[in-house]
Amino acid sequence: MEPVTPDYVRKFIVNSPNKPCASDPVPTTIVKDCVDVLLPVVTTMINLSLKDGFFPDKWKEALVKPILKKPNADLEFKNFRPVSNLSFLSKLTEKAVSHQMVHHMTTHDLMPVFQSAYREGHSTETALIKIRNDILMNMNNQEVTLLVLLDLSAAFDTIDHTLLLRRLQSRFGFKGTALAWLRSYLSNRF
């Protein structure tokens, strides 16, 4: 992982939503208002995490709130979804790493051809247009199309982290401190 610059961190801070987290020592709005004073400290904290390959356990503690899936739904367990709220510093560090990972994968042409997430100019809309086009092309060729769609609820919880880390190393070239950081990030989440 490469160190981030103060200007890079400033951009993240200024463009972040004002969502408060009860575990934050200072509300996001105040961090934004005092960005010039806090920027050197925040940048140093993020860079120490990246340099040491360590994501602090405190940054992994999420406050989980049950939110109704639909506004007028019955107050039954099945109608709630858990929303995890992480500290602002945690989110800033995640964003810095995410940008570096996407940059690495894009630069080295490691993204799967039909990957839509995390790519500029791609979205769920472009994925749906591709599927629609494939179906129409098959119809024109008088071919049958079978489409299977999966919705993995709690997808993050279903991933084998050991397998994920092995794949990041072997397929995507993450190693050393970067791999240690990712291992630390995935472990001991609360």
Side-chain angles (χ1 to χ4, degrees):
M1 303 280 175
E2 295 293 320
V4 293
T5 65
D7 287 338
Y8 192 75
V9 175
R10 177 191 301 277
K11 185 177 85 173
F12 286 147
I13 291 173
V14 170
N15 293 326
S16 293
N18 291 333
K19 294 180 182 175
C21 179
S23 64
D24 281 332
V26 178
T28 306
T29 52
I30 293 177
V31 172
K32 286 181 166 186
D33 290 344
C34 301
V35 69
D36 293 326
V37 175
L38 297 173
L39 191 60
V41 175
V42 172
T43 304
T44 298
M45 291 175 76
I46 293 171
N47 282 333
L48 284 172
S49 173
L50 301 178
K51 178 180 155 272
D52 294 342
F54 179 74
F55 193 78
D57 286 346
K58 191 70 178 165
W59 295 358
K60 300 176 206 176
E61 293 177 8
L63 297 175
V64 182
K65 295 181 182 180
I67 305 290
L68 274 173
K69 292 178 184 178
K70 296 178 183 172
N72 297 326
D74 293 333
L75 298 178
E76 296 179 37
F77 182 76
K78 67 180 181 178
N79 293 332
F80 285 91
R81 64 182 174 91
V83 174
S84 297
N85 199 352
L86 292 164
S87 72
F88 187 59
L89 190 54
S90 173
K91 289 185 259 185
L92 288 176
T93 307
E94 286 176 357
K95 186 161 292 270
V97 170
S98 172
H99 278 206
Q100 288 190 30
M101 289 178 73
V102 169
H103 176 73
H104 167 79
M105 292 172 70
T106 304
T107 301
H108 298 289
D109 199 26
L110 298 171
M111 290 275 197
V113 176
F114 298 114
Q115 172 78 33
S116 286
Y118 312 108
R119 291 177 94 168
E120 194 172 306
H122 293 76
S123 65
T124 53
E125 184 178 356
T126 57
L128 289 172
I129 290 170
K130 166 74 173 111
I131 291 169
R132 181 179 182 269
N133 183 63
D134 289 351
I135 292 170
L136 290 173
M137 293 299 287
N138 286 347
M139 288 172 66
N140 285 342
N141 295 330
Q142 296 184 343
E143 295 175 355
V144 176
T145 301
L146 175 65
L147 179 63
V148 177
L149 302 171
L150 299 173
D151 180 12
L152 296 175
S153 58
F156 183 83
D157 299 331
T158 65
I159 295 172
D160 180 330
H161 293 170
T162 304
L163 183 62
L164 173 63
L165 290 166
R166 227 179 297 143
R167 179 78 184 234
L168 287 169
Q169 183 177 17
S170 64
R171 171 76 175 91
F172 299 102
F174 290 95
K175 58 187 175 196
T177 308
L179 193 61
W181 189 93
L182 291 164
R183 186 176 292 111
S184 175
Y185 174 81
L186 291 170
S187 65
N188 301 325
R189 301 194 73 82
F190 301 96

